[in-house]
Amino acid sequence: MPENEMLSSVVKEPRLVVKKFLARPQHEGLGAMVRRSIGRFELRYFDPFLVLDEFSVTAPAGFPDHPHRGFETVTYMLQGAVTHEDFEGHKGTIKAGDLQWMTAGRGIVHSEMPAEQGTQKGLQLWINLSSKHKMIEPRYQEMSSKDVAEASKDGIKVRVIAGEALGVKSPVYTRTPTMYLDFTLKPGAHLQQPIPKSWNSFVYVLEGEGTFGGKKSSAPVSAHHLLLLGSGGDGLEAWNKSGSKPLRFILVGGEPLGEPLVQFGPFVMNTQEEIDQAVEDFENCVNGFEKAKHWRSEAAIRLDF
C-alpha cells in the first residue's frame, strides 16, 4: 500500500463489525483470571493473532515459569505492575502504561508475576511469526509509559503501541506487520482511523460504550467485547455517543501470514513435526532451551513452585 494512502486520515469505506464476542473470565496460569477473546473455542486464530487476554492477577497468583516458541507476546499494562524474568537473565518490571514486545523466536522460558500488592491488570496479545522467523534468536522491545508515542485531536487521544495514528508513529519494529492503537474518545468524539486493506483487524473495548462501523451501526458496545472487523474496507469509524463517559478501546490490525498453523500450548509452528521437535527440545533442554536445564525464576524459588 502506498505510504501516502496509509497516512490519509479520511476513511472512505469503513469496515463493518462482522462478529462480536463477550470475553468472559476464566482461570489461567497459577490462580490468575483472564478474559480471553482470541484463542478460545469460538475464535481459535485470527491470522496473525493467536491470543488476546485481558488479565487480572493478585499475588501470589501469576504466570510462573513457562516456555514459548514460534511467536511474539505483547504485554501492555493497564494497572499495577508485573515482574518479568527469563532464563537468559533478562529481568524487569512492567508498570501501568508500559509495554513489552517479546519475540520468543526459537525459545524462551520466563515468568510473569505481580510486582505489587493489590490487583494487576493488563493485556497480552500473541502474534504469530512467519515460518522464516519462527527460529530466530529471542529479543525484547521495551518501552516505559512516558516513551509511548501519544497524540490528541478533536476529543480523541491515542497511544501508539505499534504503527501510526494521528500523525505519530511508534518506534516498535514488527516482524509481522502490525498496528496496535490505544484510543480514548471523549463524549461526542468521532474517529476515523485508516487500516491497510489487506490486513485483518479487531477492536477490544476497555471502558465505556462505543459505536463502531458505518453510520448505520447497531447499539453501542460495552467493555470486554471483541469486535472482528470485516475485510476490504480502508479503516475504522467509531463514535462515543454517551453524554458523560469516555470510551477507551484498542484497535489492532495485522497482515495475515496465510501459512499452516499447528499449536500445542505455548509452542506455535507450521507442522506437527515441528511441534513434536519443540516439545522434545524443551524436554531435553536443547536447540534454544539449553539454559532451561538449571534455571528457575526468583519468584519460583521464593514461592517454591
Side-chain angles (χ1 to χ4, degrees):
M1 169 175 260
E3 186 177 13
N4 61 349
E5 182 180 345
M6 188 169 174
L7 296 182
S8 170
S9 61
V10 177
V11 174
K12 297 178 181 178
E13 188 183 350
R15 293 191 176 203
L16 302 179
V17 176
V18 294
K19 284 189 179 179
K20 180 176 77 171
F21 301 101
L22 174 63
R24 302 180 187 279
Q26 67 184 59
H27 290 281
E28 189 73 16
L30 183 75
M33 295 295 294
V34 303
R35 291 178 178 267
R36 179 162 296 170
S37 48
I38 299 175
R40 62 193 221 175
F41 68 92
E42 300 103 324
L43 187 61
R44 287 294 184 192
Y45 182 48
F46 187 49
D47 191 4
F49 305 111
L50 297 153
V51 167
L52 177 65
D53 282 344
E54 180 184 2
F55 62 84
S56 178
V57 57
T58 304
F63 305 96
D65 306 5
H66 59 279
H68 294 297
R69 173 180 280 182
F71 61 100
E72 299 183 297
T73 68
V74 184
T75 304
Y76 181 44
M77 290 301 297
L78 303 174
Q79 173 185 309
V82 165
T83 294
H84 167 273
E85 52 181 314
D86 74 17
F87 68 175
E88 293 284 354
H90 186 93
K91 183 179 179 181
T93 300
I94 314 168
K95 301 178 180 179
D98 292 355
L99 163 72
Q100 182 196 74
W101 198 292
M102 183 186 81
T103 304
R106 67 198 300 251
I108 277 283
V109 178
H110 72 159
S111 72
E112 300 151 298
M113 301 295 290
E116 301 176 353
Q117 296 299 311
T119 301
Q120 329 301 316
K121 295 182 178 182
L123 299 171
Q124 189 167 91
L125 176 69
W126 292 14
I127 306 173
N128 200 7
L129 287 169
S130 67
S131 56
K132 65 183 178 182
H133 290 142
K134 284 190 176 296
M135 294 297 284
I136 62 176
E137 291 297 320
R139 76 178 288 229
Y140 292 89
Q141 298 175 85
E142 294 174 313
M143 199 175 297
S144 64
S145 182
K146 65 180 176 59
D147 295 325
V148 174
E150 293 188 2
S152 298
K153 182 181 179 181
D154 299 332
I156 299 167
K157 176 186 172 183
V158 64
R159 308 190 83 229
V160 185
I161 307 305
E164 179 180 358
L166 299 186
V168 298
K169 292 183 179 180
S170 167
V172 169
Y173 172 67
T174 60
R175 279 178 178 75
T176 302
T178 305
M179 63 190 301
Y180 188 145
L181 308 172
D182 174 7
F183 283 106
T184 301
L185 275 60
K186 292 180 179 178
H190 171 216
L191 169 72
Q192 289 191 319
Q193 171 60 39
I195 303 169
K197 280 198 171 186
S198 63
W199 289 17
N200 284 332
S201 59
F202 66 85
V203 164
Y204 186 77
V205 182
L206 295 171
E207 300 172 19
E209 291 186 337
T211 304
F212 302 89
K215 293 182 178 179
K216 296 181 180 179
S217 300
S218 56
V221 179
S222 58
H224 315 302
H225 279 90
L226 179 92
L227 307 177
L228 296 188
L229 303 179
S231 60
D234 62 357
L236 170 71
E237 273 200 286
W239 293 263
N240 180 358
K241 297 181 180 179
S242 74
S244 58
K245 296 181 180 179
L247 162 67
R248 186 181 183 189
F249 64 91
I250 60 168
L251 169 62
V252 179
E255 185 173 58
L257 298 175
E259 295 182 355
L261 175 82
V262 182
Q263 180 174 357
F264 180 71
F267 305 129
V268 181
M269 304 300 288
N270 296 103
T271 68
Q272 185 59 49
E273 290 75 18
E274 290 171 339
I275 289 291
D276 295 342
Q277 186 65 55
V279 173
E280 185 176 319
D281 289 347
F282 175 62
E283 290 179 346
N284 294 314
C285 300
V286 298
N287 198 19
F289 290 111
E290 287 83 356
K291 294 184 179 179
K293 189 170 185 177
H294 302 292
W295 181 81
R296 290 176 70 203
S297 67
E298 292 179 13
I301 294 170
R302 184 175 67 251
L303 299 171
D304 195 26
F305 290 143

